[in-house]
Amino acid sequence: MGNETNKEIVNIRSNLQKVLEAGNFSVSAEIGPPMSGDAQNVIDKARHLVGIVDAANVTDNQTAIVRMSSIAASYLSLQNGVDPVVQMTCRDRNRIAIQSDLLGAYALGLRNVLILSGDHQSFGNHKQSKNVFDIDSVQALHGLTKLMKENIFMSGSPLKAPIEFFLGTTANPFADPEELQIIRLEKKIRAGARFIQTQAIYNLDRFKSWMEHVRERGLHKEAYLLAGIVVNRSVRSIEATAGVPGMDVPLSLIERMRATKGKEEAEAEGVAIALDLIKELKEVEGVAGIHIMAIGWEAIVPTIVEKAGFLPRPKV
Amino acid sequence: MIIAAQKSMDEILRSVKPFEKIAVAGCGTCVTVCMAGGEKEALKVADLILLDARAFGRKVEVNVTSPVRQCDMEFLDDVEDELADVDCILSLGCGAGVQFMAEKFPDKVVVPGINTSFIGVNRDLGYWTEMCQGCGNCILEKTGGICPVSRCSKSHFNGPCGGSHTGKCEINDETECAWQLIYERLKRIGQLDRLYEINEARDWSTSRDGGPRRLVRGDVKV
Ligand code: SF4
Ligand code: SF4
């Protein structure tokens, strides 16, 4: 690699961070890496999102099912014009691997990192595996922030050349008890999270009450809160979402889907529900962006972003 | 206390099958209390081995012994003569007992008859739960006396993961979320402020991660 290329890579900055820091309402989506080594799959998903979103999360063996590595798929996304958010779980890596993988991610020009605990492996297809959990997500955020700000590794030894990431994590507005969850969110922010993506929101009343607590503690001013939504394309899909622990889907929304006839109507209603949610969410004080999770229906994202009036995306 | 569960008779029979002179060794401590490998269980297992051999027309001799503790050489010395003639010892002690038995009888085959499961407590008749992983650096003072290392499915040190719901752990509804318990307890004893402290990455070298552990106490050495 020539000197020029290296300089170019060092100069890369997170698009998501620039969009948010310039005061824009951000729009992001997800790229689920394939259960194979098929690069084209990632490239196609990324190309659909060029100019449509500010960033895309590239999941890390979500629900503990083995897929292409988040860092490799993130690199493919970057090369194809979409700013990736590398997801990194504490389930599969100890502090040595987390730091090492992220140095590699930085070298490839990846700038957004989302730290997660990771779904327990008992959910996935390798239930027999051992988990790691050397550190938890607060400890990972804390350690990585020190690595960036003070140039020291979690061991205390020095980092030779500085790195910079836009660090984020997740929060679930519907997990209980609320007080404990808010304390934990505050801790994650103090540990260095600059943006927070929420669990999928369907129950607006509960989300709004959660946001009140978030605002009471001023947390919305310390990190960018990106509200998550899931787009469902069928009755089966919304029912399955409702069955996931920690999800709160009001019956009225499920009924809306049930009232439809045929695939086309159901899909149109799924989009309509998503648009209704977005419309309300973007008015909630303290919400800095929207994060669209169209699991298994990635191709619908451009339609939603357009219909929600989010185009064109800011050039920053 | 160490909690264990007896292996299936199938597995036990398979491991003792090649031998004619077998000793079943119970242990008088933890595994007696949790009813996995005490004298009572040893007698029953011995009977089943005999029955099986008879059914297949094989000749076996089975004797039963039950030292006070298999993890103490002193008590293994007591059974030395008794076991002198056997060629296989089926130990119903915990993993430590089985291994110490093998050290005591270096020329004999020693096989395990129970699965050593965890350090835990008895909550009800026939119901035990894990409480400690022997991490070597106890932090129960920070967590209201509830262990996040062993009782949180992800060993989190800074509060619950997003999967905690109605007090249950994301892995299944039979498992209580340790962080819900920690929260309730800290609230009750007026120490909720502890939850705001960031517990930094911990040093696991006192745990198994530092390699097999030893404890040397000068004050009790002779
Ligand atoms: S903190 Fe360590 S020593 Fe204390 S109960 Fe938990 S595992 Fe055992
Ligand atoms: S639900 Fe509770 S006990 Fe289970 S992994 Fe999450 S924090 Fe730990």
Side-chain angles (χ1 to χ4, degrees), chain A residues 238-294:
Chain A
I238 199 165
E239 285 175 347
T241 310
V244 173
M247 283 276 188
D248 181 350
V249 186
L251 194 60
S252 59
L253 293 183
I254 302 177
E255 292 298 342
R256 266 178 72 175
M257 288 300 276
R258 282 184 185 148
T260 61
K261 282 184 198 70
K263 188 168 170 246
E264 257 167 54
E265 255 188 49
E267 290 187 347
E269 193 59 24
V271 170
I273 290 175
L275 290 170
D276 288 349
L277 290 169
I278 291 174
K279 202 168 147 202
E280 291 229 27
L281 286 170
K282 66 179 186 196
E283 299 308 323
V284 177
E285 190 193 342
V287 171
I290 209 93
H291 180 67
I292 305 165
M293 296 173 269

Side-chain angles (χ1 to χ4, degrees), chain B residues 131-140 147-150 202:
Chain B
M131 299 294 263
C132 173
Q133 266 177 22
C135 76
N137 182 14
C138 196
I139 53 139
L140 286 175
C147 171
V149 182
S150 56
R202 67 182 263 141

Side-chain angles (χ1 to χ4, degrees), chain A residues 95 117-120 123 133-136 138-139 142 154 172 176-177 179-181 183-184 187 190 217, chain B residues 154 156-160 162 165-166 170-171 179-180 183 187 192 195-197 199-202 204:
Chain A
R95 67 193 82 178
S117 308
D119 300 311
H120 194 269
F123 289 100
F133 296 119
D134 170 29
I135 52 178
D136 63 26
V138 171
Q139 292 167 336
H142 191 262
M154 295 185 78
N172 183 359
D176 53 88
E179 183 184 23
L180 177 56
Q181 294 291 342
I183 294 174
R184 173 138 166 104
K187 244 163 115 163
R190 265 199 293 134
R217 299 199 75 99
Chain B
K154 299 180 186 172
H156 277 2
F157 282 90
N158 286 288
H165 60 106
T166 57
E170 74 171 25
I171 66 161
W179 277 97
Q180 170 85 27
Y183 163 73
K187 200 165 181 169
L192 213 50
L195 286 179
Y196 288 91
E197 292 163 18
N199 291 311
E200 288 187 35
R202 67 182 263 141
W204 290 108

Side-chain angles (χ1 to χ4, degrees), chain A residues 2-3 11 55 63 96 107 113 189 194 206 208 297 305:
Chain A
N3 251 345
N11 287 335
T63 63
I96 299 174
V113 175
I189 293 171
R194 307 282 319 284
R206 263 184 87 188
K208 285 177 186 166
W297 198 19
V305 175

